[in-house]
């Protein structure tokens, strides 16, 4: 029995709210149950130094957590003076995931930055961030298309992410904090709308997982991802 | 005529929402028109080194802005590796303002940290942060009283803050960004429920203000503060 | 009775020494009693990025304290690796105060940096720094006028600063450390030679001040500022 | 055809040299072809703050690359003043991988730090680092057993790591730089001697991989890991 | 002919002023011609971690330069966020030099920090800093002796420093900036009152020096040091 | 009797291995007994800002130590976030030493960076680093000559370095850690192949040295340097 009484293959309640704040080209509040992340997409007419003059754009991400998004207050990274390893790992993951569905040449020499800020954490913040960022990015792309800043749609697919794990010996989908903190294995899966893997990150501190367990987790993930991709299309008004 | 068509002595619409996030001892979303700030109060059972063993507690604040809270994206302080001068100035101001209504001995050897995170900025973020933080702090104090961690209420008053300025030659209350960016003079006023000044910060880059203008601005501020103090009492269920 | 036996409206002995060091375009040692600050003005033929190509100049300030300027040694900011919030607050204040009397277009695309380094602290270092920096700036402007680097005098007024406060219930002028550390209220006032306010920063940690007290403090400040402006004119050889 | 003319399931030449430097409790030079990493294990009689007084030890890792380990010189992290995201990601991975085979209670309140310094890079530095670190850790554990600092062997298994990927449409094992920089998919696999997964990190920037491709890659990885585990046992003089 | 018209073996005018600031246990303004350095000695009743509980004290130094101590303004180390290599090198040198005449056991478990802040630079700032710091240290030691905090005088000698160099082919003593910036060789010599070397740092970027040149420079240095040691005794009222 | 049973004027076994790693233009492993340092020379087609457009090149050095190069693990500078004073001092010394034999105009507008990374420390790491770096630099220069990137050989001499000291009252050459940690005086000498001094750094914490001792140490150094210069020529295939 899961602490939340969900079935093993059941996600938490998923909410995606567009236009959450007013200044950004794309702004989304994404909720996976009690996990709440603000994802904004900002378009800037410049690229990082390594891309200058190459006719290509860039998509990148930054991740942060409000100090009291969690049970106990964690110190503010800005006041400590550096982002920790976990933050860097997550923001690199979000950036790679989003770039997998973008044609950077069609984007032109500009940068879209996805800022993912967790205002309440209850497990799965990175998977929520990826899933919500896709919608923010889609809105930013629409902004560019409407203003004719790009001629061709730089988005060539959808991307979403969900976690799976082994909790009390049973493979489960979309772990919340109560499960995550006790899971034997935790895996974050990023997939696109062609059903292929964009990123797979499985970790077992202590109890390693066997190939059959991996298989079972990936089956759960596929179902969860399909659910998320549908939610994204719904909120964006795209055909189902 | 003000850009927002408000009367000179009219504040923006003020909203204070308690229990905005679930983990903190006090959590408030405060809105001054389009300016939206999350204020959380975190109680920790320790004090900074300079207070150890003195039987007194501490109240402090940290301030941050999401990168795209503003018209153009500003770089993330956590990734730049330091908080800028404006951030430090504001968080020091919030801390002093809140401490002015707290009996630190009654609080006991613990720290309450007010985290003020701006998710959308439209002028007056520091005044909103002070006003909202008071409510978050009041909730944290109730938490301590209910659990009998403090015997005596450490709060001995209310505190709120509003801005006043000279816009196109006219003293106005609660400036939004459109006014603030063109104001000749900008003053942030912090007052308590005894009608006395806790903090006064007036700045004139270019056009200095005369004593009569100061008087007019302070009159406006007094009215605005009374309005805010009433809002705080309403939302906290205190007698009007 | 004030610890220094001064009358309530009496400043400490004020000394302003020009050409204190030999390399800077303006170099002043300013003394407010035992508070001693070196203020140098450095002219550089470049502007910060946000002003490039706009035909305007910039005036900015940096503030520091020698580690043993105070009763106990404080750690060196350079070795700690960052300036603290108080330092940032003060140097931003000095910069704003000085810019209020400069026509930045007349200055042309160059920067004047005021370095204010406290070699001995006894209260009121920021007010001494502003008052002394004006003289250093005036010398730097003369340097530019003499070399015909500017055609029109970019200085359009004088600026000076003094502190006022409530000490043992009595409003007093120009607090020294003995008073400052016990004052109920402390206010720094920056005024120009037209008798108008450039900056007003009043703080009450604990005992808030009423409007009559504010009025009394501002009256004291006006007298003190007039005294300082006269000192500046004397030392610069300007008509009284 | 692979650039190195290896078969698809063939690793590079693997060399593990023990006692490479003289001061560390464990010191190994590991070579995967031209990739050369020094792995040292240092025993320290203290644990990080979060483990103090809990009767358990800790195993952690740090990773670095000499500036000219690569084709072009990269700036030194020590002089830049921070470790980049890739470095943090890798050292966190190495630490988790090694902890998966250690009984931290049997280790007692002490820390083993694995320092992995790449002196020459040609792809697969993190997999070489994990594989070599295991041997360095085993030597450090022997040091503790010989001196009777631990009573029970804290190592309960072996761990090794290898990369797999899709290069020109074909799944291949142990990619070198020439393959890695052109691979469509790159996956790092960490497995233990029970044939189970400790960590799985697959990334596809652009071309996502299907489940059959994942299966083929994992099959290759299993064979490679077995080869590495045998090498570890050989060099440690353990039964085959 | 030297730019200053001095003889080859002639120092600049040397001034040492005690009690330059009022808070420090020792405070000296030292002038070698136009080079002016404030040296303060601060006594603190604690030692660095590596000396805790060993019954010995510590003497250390920190060095800084006001931004406009030089011809052109250099950026403030506190605002840049780190001390540069030259600063570190100099402060380490000053600390070693002073420790050479202190009996750290007699000092007891306390630290004396010498803060050397250059307010005007004209060559030879480190030699002036060492020479002046000795006097500040002597005053701090008197403070300790008078208050009977130490029973035995921890100072067992005098130390001073001067520069020598080869300028236009001729060995000269106590180089000023005009000479220093063109010298072929520059050597800083630290000696004690027994005529022995405490530190010798000679540098030749470009034109290496021969043993005869070294000999000539050391002869000059000896004379200069004797002059400085006499100045120190004079100002401290010690027998000649 | 020296701990290593060497004669007073005997160096440790000196080994210089070229082409130690494959990517750098010059790559050397230098061994002074158990002290082992990797020195790589990297050629980059750019110069630091202060040299831009002046037709001259630059030679600079960076120094690092693997955390467990020493008896006890020292924390990694990259993770601490700054290089310490000793590191800065050493890398500045190496840079100056190497520049003394380079014609920077003949080098053209490019930079050669010498990275000196200590993989095992047993005293004298800076002298080994200078001696090995010269060989790496010579290889980088050959690389430039062979590709006709420079027309004239920018190297106009050889440079090497060795330590001398007073150990138990006796002057000795090339101190190892056992001697170094107990030496009364320690001096690092850098000389060129014309027998002249490039750098001289002698330090006496506690027991100052007399002129006769200096003379004896310099005599030893001269013999050691000749031995090192011969080793450099041997390994580079230059006439003896």
């Amino acid at each position: 029995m899961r602490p939340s009484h969900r079935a093993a293959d059941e996600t938490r309640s998923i909410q995606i709210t567009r236009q959450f704040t007013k200044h950004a080209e794309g702004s989304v509040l994404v909720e996976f149950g009690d996990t709440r992340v603000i994802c904004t997409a900002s378009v800037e007419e410049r690229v990082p130094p390594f891309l200058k003059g190459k006719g290509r754009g860039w998509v990148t991400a930054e991740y942060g957590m409000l100090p009291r998004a969690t049970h106990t207050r964690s110190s503010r990274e800005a006041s400590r003076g550096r982002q920790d390893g976990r933050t860097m790992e997550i923001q690199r993951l979000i950036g790679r995931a989003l770039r997998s569905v973008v044609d950077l040449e069609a984007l032109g020499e500009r940068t879209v930055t996805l800022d993912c800020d967790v205002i309440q954490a209850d497990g799965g913040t990175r998977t929520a961030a990826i899933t919500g960022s896709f919608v923010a990015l889609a809105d930013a792309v629409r902004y560019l298309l409407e203003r004719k800043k790009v001629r061709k749609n730089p988005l060539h697919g959808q991307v979403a992410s969900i976690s799976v794990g082994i909790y009390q010996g049973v493979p489960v989908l979309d772990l919340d904090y109560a499960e995550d903190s006790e899971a034997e294995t935790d895996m974050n899966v990023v997939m696109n709308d062609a059903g292929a893997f964009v990123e797979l990150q499985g970790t077992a501190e202590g109890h390693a997982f066997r190939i059959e367990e991996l298989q079972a987790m990936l089956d759960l993930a596929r179902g969860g991802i399909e659910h998320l991709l549908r939610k994204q299309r719904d909120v964006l008004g795209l055909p189902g």
Side-chain angles (χ1 to χ4, degrees), chain A residues 32 52 68 81-82 101 111 125 169 191 209:
Chain A
F32 277 32
K52 254 178 203 154
R68 196 56 195 282
R82 54 167 148 180
V101 291
T111 298
T125 62
M191 292 179 79
F209 51 100

Side-chain angles (χ1 to χ4, degrees), chain A residues 50-130:
Chain A
F50 70 90
L51 278 179
K52 254 178 203 154
K54 302 206 170 155
R56 276 189 295 147
W58 191 239
V59 172
T60 186
E62 291 198 351
Y63 172 94
M65 248 212 265
L66 298 200
R68 196 56 195 282
T70 46
H71 285 85
T72 55
R73 184 176 186 274
S74 42
S75 67
R76 192 175 284 268
E77 289 187 325
S79 94
R80 255 185 298 152
R82 54 167 148 180
Q83 297 180 302
D84 67 19
R86 180 185 169 276
T87 293
M88 292 220 196
E89 214 170 284
I90 294 177
Q91 65 194 16
R92 283 160 55 89
L93 169 65
I94 301 170
R96 286 195 308 269
L98 273 291
R99 281 193 296 277
S100 77
V101 291
V102 177
D103 175 345
L104 294 173
E105 292 193 13
L107 182 59
E109 284 209 27
R110 55 177 60 84
T111 298
V112 183
T113 302
L114 281 315
D115 282 293
C116 301
D117 286 277
V118 179
I119 61 179
Q120 191 171 275
D122 189 39
T125 62
R126 78 190 74 185
T127 59
I130 291 169

Side-chain angles (χ1 to χ4, degrees), chain A residues 174-185:
Chain A
D174 188 25
L175 290 74
D176 56 27
Y177 179 78
E179 290 168 326
D180 194 29
S181 56
E182 303 217 349
E184 294 137 36
T185 286

